[in-house]
Amino acid sequence: MTQITKMTVAIPQIKATSFLTVADLSSEELVQVLDYAAHLKALRKAGTPHPLLQRKAVAMYFEKPSNRTRVSFEVGIFDLGAHPFMLRKEEINLGVRETIADTARTLSRYVDGIMIRTFAQKDVEELAEWATVPVINGLTDEHHPCQILADLQSMRESFGPDLKGRKLVFVGDGNNMAHSLLEGGALMGMDVTIACPASHQPLPAIVDKVKTMAAQTGSTIEISDDLEKAAEGASVLYTDVWASMGQESEKAEREKAFTRFQVNAELLARSESDAIVLHCLPAHRGEEITADTFEKYADIIFNQAENRLHAQKAIMAVLMG
Ligand code: CP
Ligand code: NVA
């Protein structure tokens, strides 16, 4: 039996008290969280109980739909011996029924952690500012940090723990996924290219911040609409929907802008021979990815979805354990 299946691995310590963006972690902390996620995955596969949050309670609040985030958090919280429960928009109505500060201070009197999926990053920041328990960002318009933990865990499973120098290419919209992948890739020392139309680039403020991070880890950051060139040398081709949750009315206009920005066999032929395809899901076949490419990499993509469970358990244990 390897060391990884023993319960003695210490929970990593991090400086941050909440997890709102990937950049809340240092490079070293991120690696430790990912190592811990691998440990928790091995424990679960071995059937070894790991009730690290016994008798705690974790609230989950969603203002957008979810399959993976909802289910992986609920199962993960249960796995850790804590009590998960959902708060609906009709119940909390964040920032409308009462101030965000009052919601934060009230919930902090009952629960040990709050997971939130909403629109504005600033609302999650305000919640975390007033809460006295950890807040975990389960997706905003700007960031999706939990997804990136699972993505990096998946990349390490394919390429080994050291991702330094590997090229990660995100194809599509300069959205929440692009922002969080930029941060995660830079912290891991990866070379990250966002291949997107000039009209849909990531937010300049985030790109600037990530370039500073990249200078410290020796990674490179590129934003380009030259998709074919971007794919050259790629170890990971990553894509996401063209229209995110909340952008449904822009669907037709976005379909036009993104037609070229698709992960398919031709693009893969330009990347490294051992390249993998990742997708945060949900997937729209025939849009950001072809059906045949999706199915070819389905095992990797659904393992990536599974890793949400392990990675989020790790960050919850770190923040609330
Ligand atoms: N990838 C992801 O966050 O999926 P859900 O929207 O289903 O939670
Ligand atoms: N960009 C997508 C990610 C879904 C996990 C969205 O925000 O809808």
Side-chain angles (χ1 to χ4, degrees):
M1 184 169 291
T2 59
Q3 188 217 356
I4 210 158
T5 56
K6 289 187 193 145
M7 271 294 285
T8 49
V9 176
I11 301 177
Q13 306 283 311
I14 64 168
K15 279 205 203 77
T17 51
S18 284
F19 186 54
L20 310 188
T21 70
V22 185
D24 291 350
L25 302 175
S26 68
S27 292
E28 295 74 23
E29 288 172 345
L30 177 57
V31 166
Q32 284 169 15
V33 170
L34 294 172
D35 285 345
Y36 201 66
H39 167 64
L40 292 182
K41 184 170 184 175
L43 286 181
R44 192 174 204 266
K45 299 278 176 199
T48 312
H50 39 284
L52 299 158
L53 300 182
Q54 211 154 23
R55 302 192 58 79
K56 297 192 187 247
V58 183
M60 302 184 290
Y61 177 64
F62 285 86
E63 288 194 344
K64 290 179 178 177
S66 174
N67 170 3
R68 283 144 289 272
T69 306
R70 159 75 204 271
V71 179
S72 59
F73 264 102
E74 183 150 347
V75 172
I77 294 162
F78 174 78
D79 261 11
L80 293 171
H83 175 66
F85 64 96
M86 282 285 284
L87 293 168
R88 289 175 297 118
K89 181 164 167 63
E90 303 84 83
E91 293 164 323
I92 297 293
N93 211 359
L94 191 73
V96 177
R97 187 163 182 263
E98 60 189 347
T99 65
I100 293 179
D102 289 355
T103 299
R105 288 181 288 184
T106 304
L107 286 177
S108 298
R109 298 289 175 131
Y110 305 130
V111 304
D112 300 283
I114 305 164
M115 195 287 303
I116 174 169
R117 166 171 286 194
T118 188
F119 294 83
Q121 181 73 13
K122 70 169 176 41
D123 288 353
V124 176
E125 283 164 11
E126 192 175 344
L127 190 75
E129 187 187 327
W130 287 93
T132 54
V133 298
V135 172
I136 297 179
N137 180 358
L139 181 146
T140 61
D141 292 344
E142 272 181 36
H143 292 275
H144 196 3
C146 293
Q147 179 68 53
I148 272 56
L149 294 182
D151 301 342
L152 293 171
Q153 183 173 7
S154 308
M155 292 178 215
R156 294 175 108 210
E157 287 168 350
S158 288
F159 302 118
D162 186 4
L163 299 174
K164 209 169 167 54
R166 292 258 170 200
K167 186 173 180 185
L168 162 63
V169 179
F170 176 83
V171 178
D173 187 17
N175 62 12
N176 44 11
M177 284 307 310
H179 296 150
S180 291
L181 283 168
L182 279 167
E183 292 188 357
L187 286 174
M188 295 299 284
M190 300 182 80
D191 295 331
V192 189
T193 300
I194 305 299
C196 59
S199 52
H200 292 81
Q201 292 190 346
L203 292 174
I206 294 180
V207 175
D208 288 348
K209 183 180 78 174
V210 167
K211 282 188 173 161
T212 309
M213 290 159 59
Q216 278 156 22
T217 58
S219 81
T220 62
I221 301 298
E222 208 178 323
I223 314 298
S224 168
D225 66 354
D226 190 342
L227 179 63
E228 285 71 31
K229 186 159 170 280
E232 282 167 19
S235 289
V236 182
L237 292 182
Y238 196 121
T239 192
D240 178 21
V241 291
W242 291 339
S244 287
M245 292 179 274
Q247 298 174 331
E248 289 77 8
S249 65
E250 300 170 24
K251 195 173 183 307
E253 168 213 320
R254 284 174 167 270
E255 273 173 18
K256 271 196 214 132
F258 289 104
T259 317
R260 277 193 312 117
F261 291 86
Q262 184 186 63
V263 173
N264 54 33
E266 292 78 53
L267 200 67
L268 262 164
R270 293 176 179 270
S271 61
E272 291 292 288
S273 54
D274 65 346
I276 59 169
V277 172
L278 293 178
H279 196 309
C280 54
L281 302 174
H284 292 170
R285 291 165 179 78
E287 294 183 17
E288 76 277 1
I289 190 164
T290 54
D292 60 331
T293 297
F294 184 93
E295 289 311 324
K296 189 171 168 201
Y297 291 90
D299 282 348
I300 288 179
I301 292 168
F302 290 107
N303 177 62
Q304 175 192 5
E306 178 191 321
N307 283 340
R308 294 290 303 276
L309 170 65
H310 311 299
Q312 288 158 193
K313 282 165 67 179
I315 197 70
M316 284 192 284
V318 165
L319 290 170
M320 302 172 207

